[in-house]
Structure formats: structure tokens, C-alpha cells
């Protein structure tokens, strides 16, 4: 298949030929090449806006040079990995779930609710607190994600708009609870809930917090890889759209496959929310997530919806967030700087799809063309 | 009715029209873009860029230049969108989201006090650059249309607003006329309905789509400028608060007609006006978050209502979202 776009007036013809086969090695090099390009363009933008690009690059590199920094990178990556692996389930079906951020907030809300009940003496007991908060956060995230799925199935409502609207709704609900009924009475007037007790945290004896999280998300990544590879469900969702950039019009998933996949997405985002409130910051606060649910979208697509690659891309994003904190403290770079880099990475991912699919040829029409 | 009820109705109506104009300018432009078969999910980010541009340029050179610059920035982002989706035929959803995130990130960065200060100094060294740190710019003045502005209840809403409010209505009528009463508009709509047929009839699909996306994006930039200098002239992070995405769903509510977009936009302007009025009457005065959910919840309910009313046959342009190429 061939297609042309005409630049005939310039005496040039650009034609795009679809590649018959896309090799894995070629695919990876294109993605890495585009990633480097995204970093170069970000550097250029920062330089133009008055910040030193080399200093910015150095800060990101610094995050890999010490054990303490690496721990922080892994901690920040954890919610992104969970949400991003979850999103793969949605995206493989061509369901544009932009709602991980809201599902993550629902996870935080449910977990906090369970902790508040526990402190009021209504609970399953101290030793069952961790399973209880985990189940509550996953259930809440999953159910929240079913709303846009059902709206799409029953009313054909565009899931991009509904998931975005539900994100704002969830964040406002969290804000309401933090400022209102769930405000910690012993919190010196700060807008925050009670702290999560140690029994609600994931802990493996003798292992640091970051390594504990890495082991948990590693297992979930591996399980997802196996589900995609070897189960009927994985096969069904693969048929529906291996590649979200191309699959929008490729096929419509059956309602039950869609609901199952989207529920898993939401449940994993909910679990990410639990880790944020129980581990990363210890309690619910306004703006508890700096946008992990959005970072996860880009990470899952950068990883091509392939679980091991999604894991690696999420760690890159954890690195960007940690480096961004260093830059904010060091050279007062606004925190949205990291968002610019992430947006450019996303743009690069999309363009990489094009480069992988097509071979570009520039032909000269006729003779005597003056350059 | 008592005098108090009169004045409340008058105030609510006026702020409904005022807030509705943000949606109106953006969704009228998006109607135009989508009629040519391209969906622009970058609206949100383009609005944010229009807003930050208008903030800085208003301080440097005044309102007129600010509005034009916002349109220019919007048009350029539209050019990027069109290049990626029309020429390279990349997925319109993905490209739109990328532009949205780029716009939100860049505008947040440019609005940070230290960056805004430097940018203002670069734009016009004669203006004291600390003005950028105050995050405020002069608001567009209201134009009172003579004695009409004194009309009870509707006077303030319809005849005593700033120039962009009137321009929004004029634009809706103009674009409706272009789309449905001119040969050019017929070509544009044919590109959105059946591009292969339009192509064989000699319409330049690429040119039409580039223009449609750029016009729509330029208007999204102006909508952002209006949001800042016409509605809420104080810069905060996430100023747009998903209004670009709400404008996208209003295009569906307006069934792709710029004229119906006027009603849809003012309706949502009304929702926004209520959102600020309800806490004043007591409910949610301490914690207004539940009331602030209104626009988002109502957007979802609207999508459901549209689906029920149209029995699943939403009259979208047939080729919406699909890239065009002659060979495939």
C-alpha cells in the first residue's frame, strides 16, 4: 500500500510506503530515537524560557547516581507502574480510558474510609487491615471505572469525555472529604485526614519500602504479561486492538470483555491510590497525586502496551518526577516543566508509530528542479 | 416578583452569558473543524495557551494585540495538529491529547511567576515586569449598547458585556452562514461526510482540513483569551478546568450547528453561574466542592440525554475522526 502527499509545486513528491513487517529491534530503536528527540526538544524549550538545559539533563541523571535517589525514583514509579499496567487492559480493547487519575483518587478515598472506620472501632481488626484497605481501594477504583464503560455500552457516550469529567468529580469528592467530614480533628486545622497506621502498609520484613513496592509491581507486571500471552481473555482483548493508535475503528469488544478489562484497569489504579496514601505520603491530602494517572497513560503507550516495557517506561517517569523535584528545589524550575517533557514524550510516541509503519521516499518530479 | 428576585435573576443571567461565551467561542470553532471530519481534542490545551498568551500580551501591548496573539498561537497549534493528523494521518485522539497536555504544561510553566516575569520583560521592557507576578491583567471593558443596556433583567446580560461576548454570537452566525449557505461551506461539509466523493469532485481535502483545524484552533485560542481577560482576569494553575473538553461535548449537544451551539453554550454558562451562586445561598459555603462538581456531572448527564433523545443515531459527520488517503 502506498500513499502520497503532494508537494508538487516544489517539484517534489513525498510518498509513504507501508512497511510489510516491523522488526522488534527496529521498533525499539525508533522509539528510543524519538525519546531522545523529545528530550532534545524539551531542552530547547527550557533554554528558550530561560533555564539551562544541560543543568536540567544533569539533574535527571543525578537521580540514578545514589541509592537514596534511586529509592525515591522507585517509590514515585510505583503508582505509575500500577496504573499504567492497568491501563494496558483498557487500551488493548481500544477503550480510551483517560480516567486512571480519578480511579486512583477513588482508591485513596475508599482506603481512607476503611482506616477511619477502623480507628472508630468498626473494622475487621488490626491484622486484617491491610487486606481490607487493599480490597476496598481496588473495588472502589474498579467500580468507578465501570461507569464510563457502561455509559459507552448503553449510551455510546465518548469515554474520553466521561472519564475526564469523572476525574474532576473524584478529585472534588476527595477535596470535599478532606476539607469537610474526614478532616483530622487533631490535625491543627490542616486540610488532611488521619494518618495511616503501620498495619495498613505493605511491608516485607528486612526489605526497604522501595524494594517491597518493586516486588509487588513486578509480580503484577509478570501476571499481566502471562494473562495477555496465554489466556482466552488476553487473546480476546488482543484481537480487539493490539495497537490503540490503529484500533479505534478496528472492532468493538463484547460488553463483558470490555467490562472485565476496564474493571481491572480501575482496580489497579485504585491500588496505586492506596500506595500513595498509605506509603508515599501517609495520609490523604489535597493534590495527593501530582497526576500519576495521567503519567500512566503516557507510560503505557510509550511501552507499547507490552508489560515489561511499560514497567521500564514508568520508571523513566518516576525518574522525571524525582528530577523535577530536584530542579524545583535547586533552580526554582516550575513543576509543570516535567509535564512539558512528558507531553513531548507522548507526541514522540505517536510520531514513532508513523515512522515504524511507513517508509518515507522523496522523489523529484521531472528535471531541472532548482533546489 | 420582589426587587431582590429581579436583581438575582438579572445577575445570574448576566453571568450565564458571560461564562457561556467561553464555551461558545470554543465550540463554534470545533463545530467548524468537525464538519470537515477532524476532531480536535487539543482544545483544552489550546485554550490554556490562549489564556496565558492573553495574560502576558495584555500587560505588554493591550487587549487587541493579546486577542490576536492568542488566535495566532491557537492557529499554530492547529497547524501542528493538522500536519500530524491530516498529512501524517496519525490517530486524531492521540494527537489531540498530546496537544492538550503540551498546552497545559507549557501554559503552567509560562504562568509561574519567575518565568512570567522574564517573558514580560522580553515582550516589552518598558512595562514593569513585577506586574506579571501579580497574575492580574486589566479586564476587557464592558460596552454598553445605549438604552438597551437599561432593559430590565436582560439588559445587563445581552447589552452590557465586553466586545468578545458580542463577537461570539456574531461568529456563530457567520460560521453557520459559511457552512450552510455558501459553496465553500458545502465543500467543507462534503469533506467531513464523504471525502472520497469530495476528492473526485475536485475539492482539495488536505487544504480544507488544514484550514478547518486551524480556524477552529485559532478560535479555541481566542476562547482562552476571553476566559482570562474577559471573564476571570487572575491567573491560576489549571485555569481552563476541562472547559475545552466540555466545549467538545457541547458540539454534540448542538448537533454540529454553530447556531444551536449558542443555546448549548449559554446553557452551560448558566450551570457555571449557578455553581458560584449556590454557595452564596448557604449550601456548600464552607466546602463548595460538591457544588463545583456540577458542570462535570451535568456534562455526563447531557451525553446520556443526547443518546436517549437521538435513539443512538447521533448525526455526527460520517467521516469524523477518520484520516483520508486516496489509495486506501
Amino acid at each position: 500500500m502506498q500513499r502520497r502527499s503532494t508537494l508538487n509545486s516544489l517539484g517534489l513528491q513525498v510518498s509513504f510506503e507501508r512497511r510489510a513487517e516491523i522488526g522488534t529491534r527496529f521498533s525499539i530503536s525508533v522509539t528510543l530515537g524519538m525519546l531522545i528527540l523529545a528530550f532534545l526538544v524539551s531542552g530547547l524549550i527550557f533554554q528558550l524560557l530561560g533555564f539551562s538545559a544541560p543543568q536540567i539533563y544533569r539533574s535527571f541523571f543525578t537521580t540514578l547516581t545514589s541509592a537514596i535517589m534511586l529509592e525515591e525514583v522507585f517509590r514515585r514509579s510505583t503508582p505509575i507502574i500500577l496504573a499504567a499496567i492497568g491501563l494496558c487492559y483498557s487500551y488493548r480493547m481500544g477503550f480510551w480510558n483517560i480516567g486512571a487519575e480519578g480511579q486512583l483518587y477513588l482508591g485513596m478515598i475508599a482506603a481512607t474510609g476503611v482506616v477511619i472506620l477502623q480507628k472508630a472501632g468498626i473494622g475487621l481488626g488490626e491484622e486484617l487491615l491491610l487486606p481490607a484497605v487493599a480490597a476496598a481501594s481496588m473495588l472502589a477504583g474498579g467500580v468507578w471505572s465501570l461507569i464510563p464503560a457502561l455509559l459507552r455500552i448503553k449510551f455510546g457516550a465518548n469515554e474520553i469525555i466521561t472519564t475526564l469529567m469523572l476525574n474532576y468529580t473524584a478529585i472534588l469528592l476527595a477535596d470535599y472529604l478532606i476539607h469537610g467530614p474526614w478532616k483530622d480533628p487533631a490535625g491543627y486545622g490542616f486540610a488532611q485526614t488521619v494518618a495511616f497506621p503501620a498495619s495498613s502498609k505493605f511491608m516485607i520484613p528486612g526489605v526497604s519500602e522501595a524494594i517491597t513496592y518493586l516486588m509487588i509491581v513486578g509480580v503484577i507486571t509478570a501476571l499481566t504479561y502471562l494473562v495477555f500471552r496465554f489466556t482466552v481473555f488476553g487473546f480476546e482483548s488482543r484481537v480487539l486492538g493490539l495497537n490503540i493508535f490503529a484500533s479505534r475503528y478496528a472492532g468493538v469488544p463484547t460488553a463483558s470483555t470490555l467490562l472485565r478489562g476496564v474493571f481491572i484497569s480501575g482496580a489497579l489504579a485504585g491500588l496505586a491510590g492506596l500506595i500513595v496514601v498509605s506509603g508515599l505520603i501517609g495520609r490523604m491530602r489535597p493534590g495527593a497525586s501530582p497526576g500519576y494517572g495521567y503519567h500512566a497513560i503516557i507510560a503505557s503507550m510509550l511501552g507499547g502496551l507490552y508489560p515489561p516495557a511499560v514497567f521500564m517506561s514508568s520508571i523513566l517517569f518516576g525518574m522525571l518526577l524525582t528530577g523535577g523535584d530536584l530542579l524545583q528545589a535547586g533552580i526554582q524550575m516550575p513543576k509543570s516543566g516535567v509535564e512539558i517533557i512528558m507531553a513531548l514524550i507522548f507526541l514522540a510516541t505517536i510520531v514513532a508509530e508513523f515512522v515504524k509503519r511507513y517508509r518515507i521516499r522523496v522523489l523529484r518530479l521531472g528535471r531541472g528542479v532548482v533546489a | 416578583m420582589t426587587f431582590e428576585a429581579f436583581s438575582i435573576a438579572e445577575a445570574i443571567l448576566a453571568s450565564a452569558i458571560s461564562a457561556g461565551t467561553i464555551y461558545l467561542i470554543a465550540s463554534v470553532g470545533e463545530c467548524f473543524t468537525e464538519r470537515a471530519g477532524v476532531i480536535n481534542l487539543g482544545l483544552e490545551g489550546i485554550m490554556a495557551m490562549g489564556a496565558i498568551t492573553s495574560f502576558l500580551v495584555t500587560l505588554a501591548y493591550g487587549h487587541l494585540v493579546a486577542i490576536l496573539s492568542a488566535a495566532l498561537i491557537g492557529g499554530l497549534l492547529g497547524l501542528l495538529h493538522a500536519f500530524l493528523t491530516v498529512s501524517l494521518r496519525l490517530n486524531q485522539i492521540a494527537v489531540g491529547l498530546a496537544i492538550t497536555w503540551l498546552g497545559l504544561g507549557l501554559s503552567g510553566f509560562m504562568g509561574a511567576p519567575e518565568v512570567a516575569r522574564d517573558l514580560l520583560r522580553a515582550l516589552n521592557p518598558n512595562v514593569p515586569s513585577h506586574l506579571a507576578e501579580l497574575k492580574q491583567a486589566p479586564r476587557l471593558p464592558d460596552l454598553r449598547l445605549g438604552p438597551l443596556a437599561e432593559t430590565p433583567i436582560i439588559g445587563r446580560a445581552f447589552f452590557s458585556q465586553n466586545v468578545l461576548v458580542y463577537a461570539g454570537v456574531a461568529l456563530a452566525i457567520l460560521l453557520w452562514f459559511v457552512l450552510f449557505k455558501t459553496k465553500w461551506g458545502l465543500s467543507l461539509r462534503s469533506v467531513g461526510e464523504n471525502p472520497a466523493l469530495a476528492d473526485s469532485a475536485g475539492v482539495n481535502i488536505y487544504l480544507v482540513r488544514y484550514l478547518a483545524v486551524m480556524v477552529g484552533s485559532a478560535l479555541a485560542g481566542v476562547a482562552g483569551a476571553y476566559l482570562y481577560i474577559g471573564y476571570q482576569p487572575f491567573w491560576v494553575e489549571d485555569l481552563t478546568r476541562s472547559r475545552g473538553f466540555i466545549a467538545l461535548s457541547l458540539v454534540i449537544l448542538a448537533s454540529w450547528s454553530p447556531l444551536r451551539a449558542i443555546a448549548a453554550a449559554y446553557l452551560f454558562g448558566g450551570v457555571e453561574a449557578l455553581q458560584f451562586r449556590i454557595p452564596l445561598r448557604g449550601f456548600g459555603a464552607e466546602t463548595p466542592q460538591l457544588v463545583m462538581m456540577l458542570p462535570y456531572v451535568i456534562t455526563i448527564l447531557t451525553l446520556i440525554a443526547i443518546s436517549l433523545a437521538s435513539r443512538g443515531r447521533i448525526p455526527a459527520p460520517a467521516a469524523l475522526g477518520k484520516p483520508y488517503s486516496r489509495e486506501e
Side-chain angles (χ1 to χ4, degrees), chain A residues 33-66:
Chain A
M34 293 305 298
L35 204 55
I36 292 170
L37 193 62
F39 273 100
L40 290 177
V41 174
S42 326
L44 189 68
I45 291 178
F46 293 134
Q47 199 77 47
L48 284 173
L49 290 173
F51 289 86
S52 144
Q55 193 165 7
I56 291 169
Y57 294 138
R58 212 176 307 129
S59 280
F60 290 125
F61 188 70
T62 309
T63 59
L64 301 177
T65 52
S66 78

mmCIF file of all heavy atoms in Angstrom, chain A residues 33-66:
data_model
loop_
_atom_site.group_PDB
_atom_site.id
_atom_site.type_symbol
_atom_site.label_atom_id
_atom_site.label_comp_id
_atom_site.label_asym_id
_atom_site.label_seq_id
_atom_site.Cartn_x
_atom_site.Cartn_y
_atom_site.Cartn_z
ATOM 1 N N GLY A 33 14.993 6.446 19.632
ATOM 2 C CA GLY A 33 15.402 7.629 18.871
ATOM 3 C C GLY A 33 14.439 8.784 19.090
ATOM 4 O O GLY A 33 14.843 9.928 19.347
ATOM 5 N N MET A 34 13.142 8.496 19.042
ATOM 6 C CA MET A 34 12.143 9.546 19.226
ATOM 7 C C MET A 34 12.181 10.082 20.661
ATOM 8 O O MET A 34 11.941 11.260 20.902
ATOM 9 C CB MET A 34 10.743 9.016 18.908
ATOM 10 C CG MET A 34 10.505 8.666 17.457
ATOM 11 S SD MET A 34 10.834 10.007 16.297
ATOM 12 C CE MET A 34 9.633 11.210 16.831
ATOM 13 N N LEU A 35 12.496 9.173 21.602
ATOM 14 C CA LEU A 35 12.587 9.577 23.008
ATOM 15 C C LEU A 35 13.706 10.606 23.180
ATOM 16 O O LEU A 35 13.540 11.637 23.843
ATOM 17 C CB LEU A 35 12.875 8.331 23.843
ATOM 18 C CG LEU A 35 12.494 8.333 25.305
ATOM 19 C CD1 LEU A 35 11.035 8.666 25.475
ATOM 20 C CD2 LEU A 35 12.766 6.958 25.913
ATOM 21 N N ILE A 36 14.850 10.320 22.552
ATOM 22 C CA ILE A 36 15.974 11.255 22.627
ATOM 23 C C ILE A 36 15.578 12.589 21.993
ATOM 24 O O ILE A 36 15.842 13.667 22.535
ATOM 25 C CB ILE A 36 17.211 10.641 21.929
ATOM 26 C CG1 ILE A 36 17.706 9.457 22.752
ATOM 27 C CG2 ILE A 36 18.314 11.682 21.752
ATOM 28 C CD1 ILE A 36 18.768 8.626 22.073
ATOM 29 N N LEU A 37 14.879 12.505 20.866
ATOM 30 C CA LEU A 37 14.422 13.721 20.205
ATOM 31 C C LEU A 37 13.527 14.540 21.138
ATOM 32 O O LEU A 37 13.641 15.763 21.243
ATOM 33 C CB LEU A 37 13.661 13.338 18.932
ATOM 34 C CG LEU A 37 13.377 14.463 17.944
ATOM 35 C CD1 LEU A 37 14.682 15.042 17.421
ATOM 36 C CD2 LEU A 37 12.545 13.948 16.778
ATOM 37 N N ALA A 38 12.618 13.836 21.849
ATOM 38 C CA ALA A 38 11.715 14.531 22.771
ATOM 39 C C ALA A 38 12.522 15.267 23.843
ATOM 40 O O ALA A 38 12.204 16.406 24.205
ATOM 41 C CB ALA A 38 10.749 13.545 23.416
ATOM 42 N N PHE A 39 13.586 14.612 24.344
ATOM 43 C CA PHE A 39 14.418 15.261 25.363
ATOM 44 C C PHE A 39 15.143 16.471 24.789
ATOM 45 O O PHE A 39 15.262 17.507 25.446
ATOM 46 C CB PHE A 39 15.417 14.263 25.954
ATOM 47 C CG PHE A 39 14.846 13.497 27.102
ATOM 48 C CD1 PHE A 39 14.361 12.217 26.941
ATOM 49 C CD2 PHE A 39 14.755 14.094 28.358
ATOM 50 C CE1 PHE A 39 13.803 11.522 27.998
ATOM 51 C CE2 PHE A 39 14.200 13.408 29.422
ATOM 52 C CZ PHE A 39 13.720 12.117 29.237
ATOM 53 N N LEU A 40 15.612 16.352 23.545
ATOM 54 C CA LEU A 40 16.316 17.482 22.934
ATOM 55 C C LEU A 40 15.367 18.666 22.751
ATOM 56 O O LEU A 40 15.710 19.811 23.060
ATOM 57 C CB LEU A 40 16.922 17.058 21.588
ATOM 58 C CG LEU A 40 18.098 16.076 21.686
ATOM 59 C CD1 LEU A 40 18.591 15.666 20.306
ATOM 60 C CD2 LEU A 40 19.237 16.712 22.492
ATOM 61 N N VAL A 41 14.153 18.377 22.257
ATOM 62 C CA VAL A 41 13.192 19.463 22.048
ATOM 63 C C VAL A 41 12.817 20.104 23.388
ATOM 64 O O VAL A 41 12.726 21.331 23.500
ATOM 65 C CB VAL A 41 11.935 18.960 21.307
ATOM 66 C CG1 VAL A 41 10.886 20.044 21.218
ATOM 67 C CG2 VAL A 41 12.306 18.482 19.910
ATOM 68 N N SER A 42 12.632 19.271 24.431
ATOM 69 C CA SER A 42 12.309 19.846 25.755
ATOM 70 C C SER A 42 13.438 20.769 26.192
ATOM 71 O O SER A 42 13.187 21.874 26.689
ATOM 72 C CB SER A 42 12.152 18.777 26.829
ATOM 73 O OG SER A 42 11.607 17.619 26.332
ATOM 74 N N GLY A 43 14.681 20.319 26.023
ATOM 75 C CA GLY A 43 15.831 21.132 26.410
ATOM 76 C C GLY A 43 15.811 22.475 25.709
ATOM 77 O O GLY A 43 16.036 23.526 26.321
ATOM 78 N N LEU A 44 15.486 22.428 24.421
ATOM 79 C CA LEU A 44 15.423 23.658 23.628
ATOM 80 C C LEU A 44 14.366 24.605 24.195
ATOM 81 O O LEU A 44 14.605 25.815 24.366
ATOM 82 C CB LEU A 44 15.089 23.281 22.182
ATOM 83 C CG LEU A 44 15.185 24.388 21.148
ATOM 84 C CD1 LEU A 44 16.643 24.797 20.969
ATOM 85 C CD2 LEU A 44 14.600 23.930 19.811
ATOM 86 N N ILE A 45 13.198 24.048 24.525
ATOM 87 C CA ILE A 45 12.113 24.878 25.072
ATOM 88 C C ILE A 45 12.552 25.509 26.399
ATOM 89 O O ILE A 45 12.374 26.710 26.623
ATOM 90 C CB ILE A 45 10.831 24.043 25.262
ATOM 91 C CG1 ILE A 45 10.257 23.669 23.890
ATOM 92 C CG2 ILE A 45 9.795 24.798 26.079
ATOM 93 C CD1 ILE A 45 9.017 22.804 23.944
ATOM 94 N N PHE A 46 13.171 24.695 27.275
ATOM 95 C CA PHE A 46 13.597 25.240 28.571
ATOM 96 C C PHE A 46 14.645 26.319 28.385
ATOM 97 O O PHE A 46 14.629 27.337 29.063
ATOM 98 C CB PHE A 46 14.136 24.118 29.468
ATOM 99 C CG PHE A 46 13.079 23.148 29.880
ATOM 100 C CD1 PHE A 46 13.293 21.783 29.813
ATOM 101 C CD2 PHE A 46 11.841 23.598 30.316
ATOM 102 C CE1 PHE A 46 12.310 20.886 30.182
ATOM 103 C CE2 PHE A 46 10.848 22.712 30.688
ATOM 104 C CZ PHE A 46 11.083 21.352 30.614
ATOM 105 N N GLN A 47 15.563 26.088 27.452
ATOM 106 C CA GLN A 47 16.604 27.077 27.178
ATOM 107 C C GLN A 47 15.961 28.394 26.737
ATOM 108 O O GLN A 47 16.319 29.467 27.216
ATOM 109 C CB GLN A 47 17.530 26.530 26.091
ATOM 110 C CG GLN A 47 18.881 27.217 26.008
ATOM 111 C CD GLN A 47 19.854 26.786 27.115
ATOM 112 O OE1 GLN A 47 19.999 25.604 27.378
ATOM 113 N NE2 GLN A 47 20.469 27.749 27.767
ATOM 114 N N LEU A 48 14.951 28.278 25.849
ATOM 115 C CA LEU A 48 14.268 29.475 25.362
ATOM 116 C C LEU A 48 13.527 30.190 26.492
ATOM 117 O O LEU A 48 13.373 31.409 26.470
ATOM 118 C CB LEU A 48 13.259 29.100 24.265
ATOM 119 C CG LEU A 48 13.856 28.784 22.895
ATOM 120 C CD1 LEU A 48 12.784 28.276 21.948
ATOM 121 C CD2 LEU A 48 14.515 30.038 22.317
ATOM 122 N N LEU A 49 13.049 29.432 27.471
ATOM 123 C CA LEU A 49 12.303 30.049 28.568
ATOM 124 C C LEU A 49 13.230 30.431 29.721
ATOM 125 O O LEU A 49 12.776 30.716 30.830
ATOM 126 C CB LEU A 49 11.200 29.105 29.053
ATOM 127 C CG LEU A 49 10.038 28.913 28.071
ATOM 128 C CD1 LEU A 49 9.081 27.842 28.553
ATOM 129 C CD2 LEU A 49 9.274 30.212 27.850
ATOM 130 N N GLY A 50 14.532 30.410 29.474
ATOM 131 C CA GLY A 50 15.467 30.961 30.450
ATOM 132 C C GLY A 50 16.050 29.979 31.451
ATOM 133 O O GLY A 50 16.535 30.392 32.501
ATOM 134 N N PHE A 51 15.991 28.662 31.157
ATOM 135 C CA PHE A 51 16.608 27.698 32.069
ATOM 136 C C PHE A 51 17.716 26.961 31.337
ATOM 137 O O PHE A 51 17.654 26.797 30.122
ATOM 138 C CB PHE A 51 15.569 26.704 32.593
ATOM 139 C CG PHE A 51 14.604 27.323 33.546
ATOM 140 C CD1 PHE A 51 13.471 27.956 33.076
ATOM 141 C CD2 PHE A 51 14.849 27.306 34.907
ATOM 142 C CE1 PHE A 51 12.582 28.551 33.959
ATOM 143 C CE2 PHE A 51 13.971 27.893 35.791
ATOM 144 C CZ PHE A 51 12.834 28.525 35.319
ATOM 145 N N SER A 52 18.717 26.534 32.095
ATOM 146 C CA SER A 52 19.851 25.890 31.448
ATOM 147 C C SER A 52 19.559 24.424 31.163
ATOM 148 O O SER A 52 19.365 23.625 32.082
ATOM 149 C CB SER A 52 21.085 26.042 32.348
ATOM 150 O OG SER A 52 21.877 24.893 32.272
ATOM 151 N N ALA A 53 19.532 24.082 29.886
ATOM 152 C CA ALA A 53 19.215 22.700 29.505
ATOM 153 C C ALA A 53 20.224 21.682 30.057
ATOM 154 O O ALA A 53 19.816 20.662 30.603
ATOM 155 C CB ALA A 53 19.086 22.589 27.988
ATOM 156 N N PRO A 54 21.542 21.951 29.952
ATOM 157 C CA PRO A 54 22.487 20.956 30.478
ATOM 158 C C PRO A 54 22.275 20.683 31.959
ATOM 159 O O PRO A 54 22.342 19.532 32.411
ATOM 160 C CB PRO A 54 23.858 21.615 30.244
ATOM 161 C CG PRO A 54 23.632 22.587 29.157
ATOM 162 C CD PRO A 54 22.232 23.072 29.292
ATOM 163 N N GLN A 55 21.974 21.738 32.711
ATOM 164 C CA GLN A 55 21.739 21.574 34.146
ATOM 165 C C GLN A 55 20.514 20.681 34.387
ATOM 166 O O GLN A 55 20.498 19.865 35.308
ATOM 167 C CB GLN A 55 21.507 22.947 34.760
ATOM 168 C CG GLN A 55 21.577 22.928 36.262
ATOM 169 C CD GLN A 55 21.707 24.336 36.822
ATOM 170 O OE1 GLN A 55 21.611 25.325 36.086
ATOM 171 N NE2 GLN A 55 21.917 24.446 38.107
ATOM 172 N N ILE A 56 19.505 20.850 33.539
ATOM 173 C CA ILE A 56 18.286 20.048 33.680
ATOM 174 C C ILE A 56 18.580 18.577 33.381
ATOM 175 O O ILE A 56 18.210 17.684 34.147
ATOM 176 C CB ILE A 56 17.185 20.597 32.755
ATOM 177 C CG1 ILE A 56 16.733 21.968 33.284
ATOM 178 C CG2 ILE A 56 16.004 19.636 32.666
ATOM 179 C CD1 ILE A 56 15.852 22.741 32.350
ATOM 180 N N TYR A 57 19.302 18.337 32.284
ATOM 181 C CA TYR A 57 19.656 16.947 31.956
ATOM 182 C C TYR A 57 20.445 16.325 33.103
ATOM 183 O O TYR A 57 20.246 15.180 33.481
ATOM 184 C CB TYR A 57 20.496 16.880 30.676
ATOM 185 C CG TYR A 57 19.762 17.304 29.426
ATOM 186 C CD1 TYR A 57 20.383 18.109 28.480
ATOM 187 C CD2 TYR A 57 18.460 16.885 29.179
ATOM 188 C CE1 TYR A 57 19.719 18.502 27.326
ATOM 189 C CE2 TYR A 57 17.785 17.279 28.036
ATOM 190 C CZ TYR A 57 18.421 18.092 27.106
ATOM 191 O OH TYR A 57 17.767 18.474 25.977
ATOM 192 N N ARG A 58 21.395 17.124 33.656
ATOM 193 C CA ARG A 58 22.253 16.600 34.718
ATOM 194 C C ARG A 58 21.403 16.190 35.929
ATOM 195 O O ARG A 58 21.640 15.153 36.548
ATOM 196 C CB ARG A 58 23.295 17.662 35.113
ATOM 197 C CG ARG A 58 24.619 17.043 35.571
ATOM 198 C CD ARG A 58 25.684 18.105 35.859
ATOM 199 N NE ARG A 58 25.881 19.033 34.744
ATOM 200 C CZ ARG A 58 25.857 20.365 34.868
ATOM 201 N NH1 ARG A 58 25.619 20.919 36.039
ATOM 202 N NH2 ARG A 58 26.048 21.137 33.814
ATOM 203 N N SER A 59 20.391 16.996 36.245
ATOM 204 C CA SER A 59 19.538 16.672 37.393
ATOM 205 C C SER A 59 18.835 15.336 37.220
ATOM 206 O O SER A 59 18.709 14.568 38.164
ATOM 207 C CB SER A 59 18.483 17.749 37.596
ATOM 208 O OG SER A 59 19.039 18.830 38.255
ATOM 209 N N PHE A 60 18.359 15.081 35.995
ATOM 210 C CA PHE A 60 17.684 13.801 35.782
ATOM 211 C C PHE A 60 18.672 12.657 35.925
ATOM 212 O O PHE A 60 18.352 11.605 36.462
ATOM 213 C CB PHE A 60 17.007 13.768 34.400
ATOM 214 C CG PHE A 60 15.829 14.683 34.318
ATOM 215 C CD1 PHE A 60 15.727 15.649 33.338
ATOM 216 C CD2 PHE A 60 14.813 14.598 35.265
ATOM 217 C CE1 PHE A 60 14.645 16.506 33.287
ATOM 218 C CE2 PHE A 60 13.722 15.450 35.225
ATOM 219 C CZ PHE A 60 13.643 16.409 34.235
ATOM 220 N N PHE A 61 19.884 12.883 35.457
ATOM 221 C CA PHE A 61 20.909 11.850 35.558
ATOM 222 C C PHE A 61 21.285 11.596 37.021
ATOM 223 O O PHE A 61 21.494 10.451 37.434
ATOM 224 C CB PHE A 61 22.131 12.258 34.730
ATOM 225 C CG PHE A 61 23.151 11.180 34.628
ATOM 226 C CD1 PHE A 61 22.889 10.036 33.882
ATOM 227 C CD2 PHE A 61 24.369 11.276 35.293
ATOM 228 C CE1 PHE A 61 23.811 9.029 33.785
ATOM 229 C CE2 PHE A 61 25.300 10.269 35.208
ATOM 230 C CZ PHE A 61 25.026 9.132 34.447
ATOM 231 N N THR A 62 21.320 12.681 37.812
ATOM 232 C CA THR A 62 21.673 12.572 39.228
ATOM 233 C C THR A 62 20.777 11.588 39.974
ATOM 234 O O THR A 62 21.214 10.933 40.915
ATOM 235 C CB THR A 62 21.544 13.954 39.907
ATOM 236 O OG1 THR A 62 22.257 14.886 39.128
ATOM 237 C CG2 THR A 62 22.085 13.941 41.319
ATOM 238 N N THR A 63 19.512 11.489 39.542
ATOM 239 C CA THR A 63 18.577 10.621 40.264
ATOM 240 C C THR A 63 19.011 9.159 40.214
ATOM 241 O O THR A 63 18.527 8.352 40.987
ATOM 242 C CB THR A 63 17.163 10.701 39.660
ATOM 243 O OG1 THR A 63 17.231 10.302 38.293
ATOM 244 C CG2 THR A 63 16.605 12.100 39.747
ATOM 245 N N LEU A 64 19.925 8.825 39.300
ATOM 246 C CA LEU A 64 20.351 7.428 39.187
ATOM 247 C C LEU A 64 21.664 7.172 39.905
ATOM 248 O O LEU A 64 22.160 6.058 39.920
ATOM 249 C CB LEU A 64 20.521 7.048 37.705
ATOM 250 C CG LEU A 64 19.277 7.207 36.844
ATOM 251 C CD1 LEU A 64 19.588 6.880 35.403
ATOM 252 C CD2 LEU A 64 18.158 6.317 37.354
ATOM 253 N N THR A 65 22.249 8.216 40.503
ATOM 254 C CA THR A 65 23.629 8.070 40.974
ATOM 255 C C THR A 65 23.758 7.713 42.450
ATOM 256 O O THR A 65 24.843 7.389 42.894
ATOM 257 C CB THR A 65 24.430 9.353 40.713
ATOM 258 O OG1 THR A 65 23.684 10.437 41.274
ATOM 259 C CG2 THR A 65 24.645 9.578 39.246
ATOM 260 N N SER A 66 22.654 7.806 43.216
ATOM 261 C CA SER A 66 22.820 7.417 44.616
ATOM 262 C C SER A 66 21.685 6.502 45.036
ATOM 263 O O SER A 66 20.592 6.542 44.445
ATOM 264 C CB SER A 66 22.868 8.648 45.528
ATOM 265 O OG SER A 66 21.562 9.121 45.725
#
